[in-house]
Amino acid sequence: MILWALVALPCALAVLSAVVPGPRAVLAVGALGSVVFAALAGVGVHAAFVDPLSAWDGNLRLDPLSGYHLAIVAIVFAFSSIAAWPHFSPDVAQGRFDGRTARRFGVAWFAFLASMVLVLLSNNVGLLWIAMETTTLASALLVCVYFDEQSVRAAWTYLMICSVGIALALLGTFLLAGEARTVLGGTASPFLWTDLLEAAPRMRPGAVRLAFVFLLAGYGTKAGLAPMHSWLPDAHGQAPAPVSAVLSGVLLNCALYGISRFLPVVNAATGGDGSTLLIPFGVLSIGFAAVHVLRERDMKRLLAYCSVEHVGIIALAIGVGVPAAALFHTLNHSLAKMVAFFAAGVVSHDRGTRDTDQVGGLLRTHPLVGAGLIAAIRAL
C-alpha cells in the first residue's frame, strides 16, 4: 500500500490545488502537501532498505537504489515547495500570480512529482518510459508559468528536443524487450527488470548494444548530457527559481537513474560495454559545460551549464565503475544546486537583474558562494 500511496498522494494534491480558492491557498497546499509526502517517502525508503517493496504483479518496486533517489526527490521537492511561497509572494501582491495561474501551477507541480515518483517505482521498462514522458509534459507547463514570449519559447524547445529523445528511448526499449522475448519463456515478461536480468546472459550482445545506444541517447537527452543538452540552459533559465531547483536537482537524476537501471542488463549481455559507452558522454559534458560556465553571464543559465557538468561527472563515475561516488555526488549536486537556484532567485529579486557583471565578481567566480552570501544577507 505504501507504493500506491506514494503515487496517489501527489495526484490527490494536484486535484486539491485545482479547487482551492486563491494563490496563497495553492502555495499552502504545495508547502504542507510536500512535507506530508516527504514523511510518507521516508517511511517507504526505510522499509525498502530493510526489504524491497513490490506491488502490481511486480510492475512497481522500491529497492535501496530507487529508495535513495526517492529520498532526494522528497527532500528537494519539499524545500522547493516551501521556497515557492516567498518567491511568488511579490507576484501575488501585484496580481501577476493570480488564482488561475496558481491553480495551473499547483496541478502541474504535483503532476510533476507524481511522474518522477512513478519513474523511480517502475519495475517495468515500458512504464518507466511512460512516466519519463509525463515528466516532460508536466515540467514544460512549469517552465512557462506566466506564458511570456521567452518562457514559452524555452518550454517549446524543451518539449521538442526531449520528445525526440524520448522517442529514441522508446525505440531502444522495444529493441531490448524484443531481444529478451526471444530467450525468455512464456511465463516471464520482457519488460520487467528482474526478468531482463535473468535473460541478459543469453541475449545477443550486438542487439543489446544497439538498444542501449538508443536508450542512452534518449534518456541522456533528458539527463542533459552533452551534446543533447541544448534545451537545458533555456528551460532552467526561464523557469521560476523553485522550478529550476527541482528540474536541476532531481529531474536530471531521474533520467540518469533510468540509464543506470539498464546498465546491469547491458553489461551482463555485452561484458561491460554499457559502462564504457557512458565515459565519452561524461567527459564531453564536463568539457563542454566548463567552457560555457566561463563565458555565461546570466546567473540561472550559468547554473544550468553547471548542472550539465555535474551530470557528466556522475555519468563518468558510473562509467568507470565507482557507483558509490556517483550516488554521493548525486546527493551533493541536488542539495547544492537547490540552494544555488534559491539564492539566484533572491538575487534577481533584490538586484532586478541576473547579469553576473552587475551582481558582482564573487558571484561570477563562485556562483554558489556568492549567491548564498547575498541570500543570507537578505534573509537577515
Side-chain angles (χ1 to χ4, degrees):
M1 293 303 296
I2 293 178
L3 300 186
W4 288 114
L6 286 169
V7 177
L9 180 57
C11 294
L13 291 170
V15 173
L16 182 59
S17 298
V19 299
V20 293
R24 296 189 186 280
V26 173
L27 295 175
V29 169
L32 296 175
S34 64
V35 172
V36 173
F37 174 82
L40 177 64
V43 174
V45 170
H46 178 268
F49 272 87
V50 174
D51 187 28
L53 307 176
S54 182
W56 194 17
D57 297 327
N59 288 285
L60 297 180
R61 191 169 188 268
L62 185 65
D63 59 14
L65 178 60
S66 54
Y68 179 82
H69 283 83
L70 178 61
I72 297 175
V73 168
I75 292 169
V76 173
F77 195 88
F79 279 107
S80 300
S81 299
I82 295 170
W85 187 290
H87 179 84
F88 287 113
S89 289
D91 292 340
V92 173
Q94 297 169 10
R96 188 184 182 205
F97 193 72
D98 56 15
R100 182 178 180 181
T101 302
R103 284 188 287 272
R104 185 175 64 245
F105 171 81
V107 172
W109 187 244
F110 283 111
F112 186 32
L113 174 60
S115 59
M116 288 191 294
V117 171
L118 190 57
V119 167
L120 300 178
L121 297 186
S122 297
N123 190 42
N124 183 307
V125 294
L127 185 61
L128 171 73
W129 182 88
I130 293 171
M132 196 71 73
E133 175 67 359
T134 307
T135 64
T136 304
L137 300 176
S139 55
L141 293 174
L142 296 172
V143 170
C144 57
V145 172
Y146 295 116
F147 284 104
D148 57 82
E149 182 179 352
Q150 289 184 327
S151 63
V152 169
R153 185 184 297 114
W156 185 251
T157 302
Y158 170 45
L159 276 174
M160 291 299 99
I161 294 176
C162 287
S163 294
V164 171
I166 209 71
L168 295 176
L170 179 62
L171 178 58
T173 299
F174 283 145
L175 287 173
L176 184 62
E179 177 62 21
R181 185 178 290 278
T182 63
V183 299
L184 284 171
T187 58
S189 169
F191 288 97
L192 296 183
W193 297 116
T194 46
D195 293 335
L196 285 171
L197 279 172
E198 177 189 348
R202 292 174 284 155
M203 294 184 193
R204 291 175 298 173
V208 175
R209 193 178 295 112
L210 177 62
F212 187 66
V213 168
F214 285 108
L215 289 165
L216 183 56
Y219 289 130
T221 300
K222 194 63 178 286
L225 288 172
M228 300 89 70
H229 69 287
S230 56
W231 63 269
L232 196 147
D234 289 338
H236 286 46
Q238 293 301 319
V243 176
S244 297
V246 176
L247 288 174
S248 184
V250 291
L251 177 61
L252 305 185
N253 294 347
C254 288
L256 281 177
Y257 167 82
I259 294 173
S260 65
R261 276 299 192 191
F262 282 102
L263 273 180
V265 178
V266 177
N267 287 339
T270 64
D273 287 356
S275 297
T276 303
L277 285 171
L278 270 176
I279 295 176
F281 283 102
V283 173
L284 183 61
S285 298
I286 295 169
F288 193 92
V291 172
H292 281 272
V293 164
L294 294 174
R295 300 171 56 186
E296 186 60 59
R297 292 297 177 262
D298 183 289
M299 284 188 297
K300 293 187 69 180
R301 289 178 61 87
L302 186 150
L303 292 174
Y305 280 116
C306 182
S307 292
V308 175
E309 179 184 8
H310 286 279
V311 166
I313 293 172
I314 296 168
L316 181 61
I318 297 172
V320 299
V322 282
L327 290 174
F328 173 75
H329 196 66
T330 297
L331 175 64
N332 173 55
H333 170 253
S334 295
L335 298 182
K337 196 54 60 66
M338 174 187 70
V339 175
F341 272 115
F342 292 167
V346 173
V347 170
S348 62
H349 277 304
D350 280 2
R351 301 296 181 93
T353 180
R354 300 191 322 213
D355 190 331
T356 57
D357 287 331
Q358 298 183 38
V359 170
L362 178 61
L363 185 60
R364 188 190 312 165
T365 56
H366 201 312
L368 179 57
V369 173
L373 177 61
I374 297 174
I377 295 173
R378 170 62 177 165
L380 291 174

